[in-house]
Amino acid sequence: MAVRDVHVLGSPVLRQRAEEVSGVDDALRTLIDDMFDTMAAFSGVGLAANQVGIARRVAVVNAEGQTITMINPRIVEADGRDVKEEGCLSIPEVYGEVTRPERVVLEALDEDGAPYRLDAGGLVARAIQHEIDHLDGILFIDHLSPMKRQLLVSRWKKEHKGEALTRTPTPEETEEDE
Ligand code: NI
């Protein structure tokens, strides 16, 4: 069990397309355990491996009482439309309204390498989509209008100029960040 540092905006790994996982082994399970610890330490509802500096297709979610491990996740069905404010552990203090399908069907492998299918709605569906985006190098700010994104990013960069590209947990984390 270990809490890992979380990479923040500006760290190249967040813009990398993560690699498929070819086999689930103990090293990968250790990574997953650490990701759950890290997500809890930051009070997050989701975390992708890119965010702890590892570009492999692994992500975790803890939302609405549901904990999900996703290895090589894929959305196979999506419908509806839902607009909600999102945040991200990798872009602290930045929030924006993101439109996404309201319901998704996920296919992934669990921590034993077994395939499963999950029908999700609400915050769980949103977190799943947000985390899969991370694995494709996409951040929630990419879903905002170019003007809004530019404003948020330039302000954030100004406020965090010269700071490290990783962060450790602080007590004031909110519960809405992914
Ligand atoms: Ni995020």
Side-chain angles (χ1 to χ4, degrees), residues 18-37:
E19 301 234 353
E20 293 280 325
V21 171
S22 53
V24 179
D25 56 14
D26 285 344
L28 192 79
R29 277 186 282 268
T30 300
L31 169 65
I32 291 165
D33 286 347
D34 288 358
M35 286 172 63
F36 272 107
D37 290 345

Side-chain angles (χ1 to χ4, degrees), residues 51 87-89 130-131 134 178:
Q51 293 180 278
C88 181
L89 296 178
H130 178 114
E131 301 318 324
H134 271 300
E178 296 150 29

